[in-house]
Amino acid sequence: MARNIQSLERAAAMLRLLAGGERRLGLSDIASSLGLAKGTAHGILRTLQQEGFVEQDTASGRYQLGAELLRLGTTYLDVHELRARTLVWTDDLARSSGESVYLGVLHQQGVLIVHHVFRPDDSRQVLEIGAMQPLHSTALGKVLSAYDPVAHSEALEADRKAFTDRTVCDPDDFEHVLDLTRARGYAADVEETWTGVASVAAPIHDRRRMPVGAVGITGAVERVCLDGELRPELIAAVRDCARAVSRDLGAGRF
């Protein structure tokens, strides 16, 4: 049986580390997190930097993911039928709602963001394509858990961390949330993952009526909610978007 190449494993671990948590990390942070000597970590970082997979901030000396990774990721995502089918609809949803739009799929016990449309204003925003979100607390994750049996099992087996005092962690309570999601056709996240942030998401189905992803909007609670409840017009807009994409995928009318 072929042995894994240690340097490649370390480089992959380094890229995953830079992809999660803080956007930029120093050499000491990276070496400590991965249990590597500084010299070893620096050598790998230098190679990744030369290939464009990692960039170093000249002011702070900290490292972040490079543009080459985004280029490779975008090449993959552009041929992904789900993302291609959502481009027009998610742009329309961002314009009509005034909020950021996210498209997520199940990946490694979480939600992988495969498309992100910025909120249509002049505020500074960070592209979240490739980011991971939890299944149990986010609107996208709840939708996937409610409609996809594999995601459902992953969510129940995972460590359901309490991100805020509103996060639902108890398995029975979580099952009730999923029942409610299926009954309503959408999922909500009102300050369950991030304080001051609310989301609503709906499922996308393919021509076999199988769930293949979820689409939703995310924004400040004061914009997305009214008197503590999600705004009905935003719920309707998200559901309309999900149904439109599903129809384009051959699912027919839902």
Side-chain angles (χ1 to χ4, degrees), residues 179-254:
D179 289 341
L180 184 61
T181 297
R182 286 185 285 266
R184 299 190 302 191
Y186 69 90
D189 167 12
V190 180
E191 298 190 284
E192 294 180 48
T193 310
W194 303 282
T195 301
V197 176
S199 304
V200 57
I204 295 172
H205 297 80
D206 65 9
R207 58 184 173 275
R208 300 166 299 164
R209 298 294 183 97
M210 296 296 292
V212 292
V215 63
I217 61 170
T218 297
V221 170
E222 58 267 25
R223 295 195 307 267
V224 178
C225 297
L226 179 64
D227 296 328
E229 299 292 334
L230 292 169
R231 292 179 178 270
E233 67 272 21
L234 294 181
I235 296 173
V238 170
R239 296 193 68 192
D240 286 346
C241 177
R243 283 192 289 258
V245 176
S246 297
R247 286 196 298 270
D248 277 2
L249 291 172
R253 302 186 71 87
F254 270 82

Side-chain angles (χ1 to χ4, degrees), residues 54-68:
V54 165
E55 296 174 356
Q56 186 177 27
D57 180 64
T58 54
S60 66
R62 289 174 171 263
Y63 294 88
Q64 63 185 20
L65 294 179
E68 182 64 13

Side-chain angles (χ1 to χ4, degrees), residues 17-18 22 26 34 37 59 62 68 81 91 93 99 120 126 144 155-156 183 197 232:
L17 178 65
L18 290 170
E22 296 182 19
L34 299 179
R62 289 174 171 263
E68 182 64 13
E81 184 181 10
D91 282 349
L93 179 57
E99 301 296 344
V126 177
L144 293 174
L156 288 177
V197 176

